[in-house]
Amino acid sequence: MGVLVLLALVLITVSFRGSADGVQSFGATVLRPFEVGAERVARPFRDAAGWTHDVLNAKSQNKKLERQVTQLQQQVVASQSAVQENADLKRQLAYVDSPSFQKLARDYDVVATRVISQPTSRFEQSIVIAAGRSQGLRVRDPVVTAKGLVGQVTKVFSRVARVTLLTDPGSAASASVLTDPSTIGVVQHGQGSEETLVLDRVPKAKPVRDGDVIVTSGSPAGGELPSLYPRGIQIGLVSSTGDSDTEPFKQIQIDPSVDYSSLQSVLVLVPKQPLPIRP
């Protein structure tokens, strides 16, 4: 290092004296190997620094792209959910406009709303809907879909309400066979899965066959206390029947028309004349 410094000083001195062409050429030739060596020594460090910078930049870009992909996926899910919800509501409104529903329109106002919370457990079969007191809902209002009976409103808040499903162990509905209204029983939660329903208290003498349509029976003619559910709302199809020597009633299993585990929207039937409060 000392020799190189001394040689550089000599070259500078000679250059100022005007006779440095030959000496400078000689000096450049002498220093060339050192220059090449320094370049070779420094190149791996420059390459390593450039590689590190590129890797860090690529990681930063990758994280940014991952965030964008996640946001796009969330937007796609939200869009698909909105499309499904819109299609479901259109089916519900088409059902409201159907001739079979027009009979109910005389006695009920219809509130179409979406489901914002599904059942939390098999022991508490209820959902939360995005409509409440502000939309005119009251406790005991029937809830249906285009496919059939859902349940009833059991708690009402300002803008949301809780609906207890027919599959809840504490729920029941008076029902009959569509083709034979005199065959009347009580639909309630059965044994087994959450969505199992049974038609109970049907006498053995009554003919009930697999595939029979079960609907709400409504209020009996001349009855002093009206039924909670209007007549003719479909509940399900008979999936099996049986008799027991020790029981006076038939054993009837029902396959529900409504998929209670995937409700997206419902129709709340708000009676134009509120039902009397039962003692």
Side-chain angles (χ1 to χ4, degrees):
M1 182 63 70
V3 173
L4 291 175
V5 172
L6 180 60
L7 182 58
L9 293 174
V10 171
L11 290 176
I12 292 171
T13 302
V14 173
S15 175
F16 277 111
R17 292 180 179 179
S19 60
D21 291 342
V23 177
Q24 285 178 347
S25 176
F26 171 76
T29 303
V30 171
L31 294 176
R32 180 62 181 170
F34 295 99
E35 181 182 353
V36 172
E39 171 67 21
R40 291 180 177 176
V41 170
R43 184 180 301 166
F45 294 98
R46 288 201 306 269
D47 293 343
W51 178 82
T52 302
H53 177 269
D54 292 342
V55 168
L56 294 176
N57 186 57
K59 287 184 176 180
S60 176
Q61 291 293 328
N62 186 50
K63 290 182 179 179
K64 183 178 179 181
L65 290 173
E66 286 179 350
R67 287 195 298 268
Q68 292 177 349
V69 169
T70 301
Q71 292 174 353
L72 289 173
Q73 288 176 338
Q74 293 173 347
Q75 292 176 1
V76 169
V77 171
S79 298
Q80 291 176 342
S81 178
V83 169
Q84 178 63 33
E85 182 179 311
N86 186 48
D88 198 29
L89 285 172
K90 283 183 177 180
R91 285 193 296 269
Q92 307 283 31
L93 294 176
Y95 171 61
V96 171
D97 292 334
S98 66
S100 61
F101 195 87
Q102 290 306 307
K103 296 178 181 179
L104 295 176
R106 295 176 301 184
D107 301 320
Y108 296 90
D109 292 322
V110 180
V111 177
T113 182
R114 59 190 177 90
V115 177
I116 59 178
S117 176
Q118 298 293 336
T120 55
S121 72
R122 62 174 299 179
F123 303 106
E124 187 177 355
Q125 289 286 291
S126 63
I127 58 175
V128 178
I129 57 176
R133 194 176 298 109
S134 300
Q135 289 71 38
L137 271 61
R138 297 184 290 260
V139 173
R140 298 177 63 218
D141 286 346
V143 181
V144 302
T145 70
K147 293 183 177 180
L149 182 63
V150 173
Q152 64 170 304
V153 175
T154 50
K155 286 187 179 180
V156 182
F157 303 93
S158 177
R159 297 187 181 276
V160 297
R162 183 176 299 278
V163 176
T164 298
L165 304 178
L166 187 58
T167 51
D168 188 85
S171 294
S174 177
S176 63
V177 177
L178 179 63
T179 56
D180 183 10
S182 66
T183 302
I184 298 176
V186 177
V187 171
Q188 55 191 2
H189 181 267
Q191 301 296 325
S193 66
E194 303 88 76
E195 296 189 9
T196 299
L197 294 176
V198 297
L199 179 60
D200 199 8
R201 307 193 70 79
V202 175
K204 291 181 179 180
K206 292 292 185 179
V208 179
R209 294 174 292 274
D210 292 359
D212 280 348
V213 179
I214 305 301
V215 298
T216 53
S217 61
S219 303
E224 295 181 359
L225 194 60
S227 173
L228 174 64
Y229 301 111
R231 183 189 301 271
I233 301 297
Q234 184 166 325
I235 297 176
L237 304 178
V238 174
S239 58
S240 68
T241 61
D243 294 329
S244 172
D245 294 336
T246 60
E247 294 290 336
F249 303 111
K250 283 181 174 294
Q251 298 172 344
I252 304 173
Q253 297 281 337
I254 299 176
D255 184 15
S257 301
V258 174
D259 184 357
Y260 296 98
S261 64
S262 61
L263 290 167
Q264 299 297 320
S265 61
V266 295
L267 302 171
V268 182
L269 307 181
V270 181
K272 295 180 179 179
Q273 295 294 330
L275 294 175
I277 298 175
R278 295 179 180 176

